[in-house]
Amino acid sequence: MLRNEYPRPQFVRSDWHNLNGEWRFEFDDDDLGLNEHWYEPEHTLNDSIQVPFVYQSKLSGIADTGRHDVVWYQRSFTLTRPADGQRVLLHFGAVDYEATVFLNGKQVTKHIGGHTPFSADVTPYLDDSGVQVLTVRVFDPQDDEQIPRGKQFWGSHSVGIWYTNSTGIWQTVWYEIVSTKRLEDLKFTTDLDAGTVSIDAMGVGVAPDDRLRYTIRYKDITVASGELSWQSDELRWDIDYVQNHIFRMGFHSDGEPMWSPEHPNLLDASFAVIDGGTGTITDQVDSYFGLRKVHTENGMVYLNNKPYYQKLVLDQGYWPDGLLTAPSDEDYKRDIELSKAMGFNGCRKHQKMEDPRFLYWADKLGYIVWGECAAATVYTKKAVDRLMGEWQEIIDRDYNHPSILVWVPLNESWGVPGIHANRSQQHCSQAMYHYLHSIDPTRLVESNDGWEQTETDICAIHNYAHGQAEEQGKYEEYRAMLATRDSLLTMCPSCWDIYARGFSNQGEPILLTEFGGIGFDVSGEPGWGYTSVSDAEEFLKDYSRIMDAVYASEGLWGYCYTQLTDVEQEINGLLTYDRQPKCDPAAVKAINDKYHVSRIRL
């Protein structure tokens, strides 16, 4: 079975069952399924598919890129009704776009949103025979441009910067057997300056005489442990992790146990819910978190109270055989390892909220992530409502990942095309900026990556105007545009201003978050890049030339190069679509390593 790893690495229970693999499947182009009761257990779908791969992908076993707005899934599994005091929770990692879930002919839940998880207590719907029939109807109207679909193209063949559409289940489906007295959620909020971490634990079915036992460990050292009474179904308490140890403060050392790309230190956390009457453990959950702080000051980004220069790479998160879904967990790990081998310390996940397994490896290996939600293409109330709904669920899912330093709610004015002068659309950008800060005080928010920014913590600029190597005049103009803060803020690399009307830089750091895009084809297939080279030697020369302009800048405080891999018709990756380096990663790293923190001008 592909994708058999535990899908929720920050909230791990031992008793779980993977439902990936072969399911029955059928297109419903005439939308007959509901009227004809395809959700009934007796109805059999006519095709098969490999979950969690969408029907458009090769790994699904179907590989049909035609338009099918309504599709159905079905599979049977064996599960006897659990004992009294236990429940069965059914989980979906992500289904694109609108999912209606039935068990044994009864609707158990409905979810709208293509990138976030959902679950349902299906205990009341279990069949006493022990044979359970799970059916899912998915609705993904491909001509609805109010849906946040990111880089997915609404046509039958990908074009330009748009890629193959994805419909249906694209992350793991599983169920777990839990107690009626259990943990529902955990949240870790670190305060580096105070030397504390606040823990929020949400319980279900707990009573005042029940207890929560916890242990926090760093490597083999127990940092904190104890028991708390469930006076309500929400507990919050603080832990002092500095404990008067100066080297845990991060000022005179690498700051163990602080998290950074160079030192990805993590703390393990285990929790047990204890029944007050019997003293038995009713639920056990393992988790982890990282201690880190990100803020801006003096026109720079600081990580753990030290200036930190981010060297990011744009990552679309597509795979040739799985599209949005990586074929294996190792593929997430390998992408990060290859990026770090080339001298990058993080990525901007572009127009996609990535699988939690990728974020787990980013946490564990030390890799910065900018989290960016897929966008709609038009501005309407429905589009805004949908986007805000997804962001709430994104924060709920990803709050605890230390690798995520920045949220990017908008990109290049997608979904807010009139933001330059339209106050309603500017208010939308500002509202998202303040909303994300209101529910997540631990990260920076970049309001509109690329141009036409409003209130923002980072001024993020896109500029592909470096030209071909032989265009020396254009290159010098590019170098001059990057040279200082003033030149960066007044340049117009496209037809859009850096800030929307009525807004200006308030001292926030400036980063070049899209540039480069050197097209280098090694496959023999037609494709495009922003510029082009013919071989590895020429690529390295052009990459070095572009990075020299970036590193010479007195105004930039980091960058995000376009891009990590080729994607379909785009051939501007450092790696091919199947993740083969186009040139020696060590040679790319040598260029990226030209800039060192010692060059910081304070």
Side-chain angles (χ1 to χ4, degrees):
M1 180 196 298
L2 293 171
R3 301 307 306 270
N4 60 0
E5 66 283 342
Y6 190 81
R8 192 172 55 181
Q10 284 191 320
F11 202 88
V12 179
R13 290 189 175 106
S14 59
D15 192 359
W16 75 286
H17 304 267
N18 196 324
L19 293 178
N20 290 343
E22 185 172 343
W23 291 46
R24 302 304 298 169
F25 181 81
E26 190 166 343
F27 298 127
D28 186 9
D29 295 341
D30 295 323
D31 198 12
L32 301 174
L34 287 174
N35 288 334
E36 295 182 356
H37 299 180
W38 289 12
Y39 49 82
E40 295 290 351
E42 297 79 15
H43 183 86
T44 301
L45 303 179
N46 292 320
D47 205 344
S48 64
I49 190 170
Q50 290 294 322
V51 169
F53 302 99
V54 295
Y55 76 77
Q56 294 94 336
S57 71
K58 294 178 184 177
L59 287 174
S60 72
I62 298 176
D64 181 344
T65 58
R67 175 175 174 173
H68 304 284
D69 288 0
V70 182
V71 300
W72 288 77
Y73 295 79
Q74 186 183 73
R75 70 154 293 168
S76 299
F77 60 97
T78 301
L79 173 63
T80 58
R81 187 175 294 278
D84 290 343
Q86 291 185 318
R87 312 296 288 181
V88 177
L89 302 183
L90 176 66
H91 299 276
F92 291 82
V95 182
D96 198 356
Y97 173 66
E98 180 180 307
T100 308
V101 181
F102 304 86
L103 187 65
N104 301 318
K106 305 295 184 181
Q107 181 175 326
V108 298
T109 192
K110 185 174 183 177
H111 180 263
I112 297 175
H115 305 89
T116 50
F118 60 98
S119 61
D121 182 344
V122 298
T123 314
Y125 308 95
L126 295 174
D127 193 280
D128 290 334
S129 71
V131 177
Q132 316 301 335
V133 182
L134 175 61
T135 307
V136 182
R137 177 187 184 268
V138 178
F139 179 47
D140 184 27
Q142 295 182 28
D143 60 357
D144 187 349
E145 296 186 30
Q146 300 173 101
I147 290 176
R149 64 177 76 251
K151 302 300 285 286
Q152 297 181 46
F153 190 46
W154 45 90
S156 59
H157 300 285
S158 57
V159 175
I161 64 169
W162 308 100
Y163 313 140
T164 301
N165 188 57
S166 290
T167 295
I169 300 171
W170 66 278
Q171 289 183 27
T172 292
V173 185
W174 82 102
Y175 71 86
E176 55 187 352
I177 300 172
V178 300
S179 170
T180 53
K181 292 186 177 185
R182 64 184 185 272
L183 275 171
E184 180 75 6
D185 195 17
L186 291 165
K187 186 163 71 173
F188 304 96
T189 304
T190 60
D191 186 333
L192 195 69
D193 298 326
T196 61
V197 55
S198 296
I199 303 177
D200 290 273
M202 281 61 78
V204 172
V206 291
D209 60 340
D210 299 326
R211 303 187 305 280
L212 178 67
R213 179 184 300 160
Y214 67 91
T215 303
I216 310 297
R217 291 185 177 88
Y218 175 63
K219 298 182 178 178
D220 296 327
I221 302 171
T222 297
V223 176
S225 62
E227 286 190 7
L228 301 168
S229 296
W230 287 97
Q231 297 303 317
S232 71
D233 57 5
E234 296 186 13
L235 292 177
R236 181 182 178 90
W237 71 103
D238 293 337
I239 292 173
D240 175 8
Y241 62 80
V242 171
Q243 297 173 349
N244 296 320
H245 296 291
I246 189 171
F247 289 107
R248 290 185 183 173
M249 299 175 67
F251 294 111
H252 302 289
S253 69
D254 292 326
E256 285 195 285
M258 311 309 174
W259 184 95
S260 71
E262 295 73 27
H263 303 280
N265 301 308
L266 297 172
L267 287 87
D268 296 314
S270 59
F271 300 85
V273 177
I274 302 170
D275 184 276
T278 65
T280 59
I281 293 175
T282 63
D283 191 21
Q284 288 184 288
V285 172
D286 292 323
S287 187
Y288 70 87
F289 62 97
L291 308 172
R292 62 102 181 94
K293 173 187 175 183
V294 58
H295 77 284
T296 63
E297 189 177 339
N298 300 322
M300 298 180 288
V301 177
Y302 283 68
L303 179 61
N304 300 335
N305 289 324
K306 296 179 180 179
Y308 196 88
Y309 193 94
Q310 296 178 77
K311 302 179 180 183
L312 311 179
V313 63
L314 196 72
D315 184 354
Q316 310 277 5
Y318 275 73
W319 283 264
D321 293 338
L323 299 179
L324 289 178
T325 310
S328 73
D329 192 48
E330 282 295 312
D331 288 296
Y332 294 127
K333 182 181 179 183
R334 178 168 167 76
D335 273 7
I336 294 171
E337 289 174 336
L338 284 168
S339 297
K340 296 194 74 169
M342 291 186 289
F344 297 100
N345 55 30
C347 74
R348 175 178 159 225
K349 272 290 178 179
H350 192 31
Q351 287 296 297
K352 178 192 180 187
M353 294 311 302
E354 192 53 274
D355 190 300
R357 295 297 309 184
F358 174 86
L359 298 174
Y360 164 77
W361 285 114
D363 295 338
K364 193 172 182 64
L365 298 175
Y367 194 64
I368 292 168
V369 178
W370 285 26
E372 178 181 332
C373 181
T377 58
V378 297
Y379 182 78
T380 65
K381 181 182 184 301
K382 181 179 285 188
V384 173
D385 289 344
R386 287 169 167 173
L387 187 62
M388 293 291 281
E390 291 218 21
W391 269 110
Q392 177 181 342
E393 295 181 354
I394 288 166
I395 302 299
D396 287 343
R397 190 195 76 169
D398 293 342
Y399 184 90
N400 292 332
H401 288 287
S403 57
I404 302 176
L405 298 190
V406 181
W407 295 124
V408 184
L410 295 171
N411 169 72
E412 292 186 347
S413 303
W414 293 8
V416 283
I419 193 172
H420 179 71
N422 185 293
R423 279 299 291 143
S424 291
Q425 296 183 30
Q426 290 177 359
H427 280 307
C428 175
S429 172
Q430 291 176 275
M432 294 181 74
Y433 171 83
H434 289 292
Y435 174 69
L436 292 176
H437 270 303
S438 72
I439 61 175
D440 184 356
T442 70
R443 294 179 172 91
L444 305 179
V445 179
E446 204 294 299
S447 72
N448 185 17
D449 207 286
W451 47 69
E452 296 183 322
Q453 291 155 101
T454 59
E455 291 183 78
T456 185
D457 296 327
I458 291 175
C459 175
I461 295 173
H462 298 178
N463 188 339
Y464 291 98
H466 51 81
Q468 297 288 135
E470 63 271 13
E471 297 176 302
Q472 185 61 27
K474 194 168 186 178
Y475 172 70
E476 292 301 331
E477 180 182 341
Y478 178 74
R479 191 179 176 99
M481 283 192 290
L482 305 186
T484 66
R485 286 182 65 88
D486 286 345
S487 63
L488 285 160
L489 294 172
T490 56
M491 71 178 186
C492 291
S494 304
C495 57
W496 300 279
D497 292 333
I498 303 302
Y499 283 85
R501 183 182 299 168
F503 297 87
S504 61
N505 188 274
Q506 301 300 306
E508 55 264 23
I510 303 173
L511 277 75
L512 187 65
T513 52
E514 281 192 35
F515 71 105
I518 304 169
F520 175 21
D521 178 37
V522 298
S523 67
E525 298 294 327
W528 70 274
Y530 291 92
T531 58
S532 62
V533 296
S534 58
D535 56 39
E537 181 180 2
E538 188 179 352
F539 172 84
L540 288 171
K541 286 182 179 178
D542 208 34
Y543 185 73
S544 181
R545 178 182 71 100
I546 294 169
M547 295 309 301
D548 283 345
V550 172
Y551 288 152
S553 173
E554 299 280 347
L556 286 175
W557 194 247
Y559 60 80
C560 179
Y561 178 81
T562 305
Q563 61 186 345
L564 179 61
T565 75
D566 293 348
V567 184
E568 299 186 346
Q569 63 277 355
E570 284 193 40
I571 56 170
N572 51 23
L574 294 158
L575 311 174
T576 62
Y577 200 7
D578 61 356
R579 275 50 177 185
Q580 299 304 309
K582 295 183 180 180
C583 55
D584 183 3
V588 178
K589 185 177 188 300
I591 297 169
N592 285 337
D593 284 351
K594 289 181 181 179
Y595 190 98
H596 297 284
V597 175
S598 61
R599 291 188 56 198
I600 294 171
R601 303 167 184 86
L602 295 175

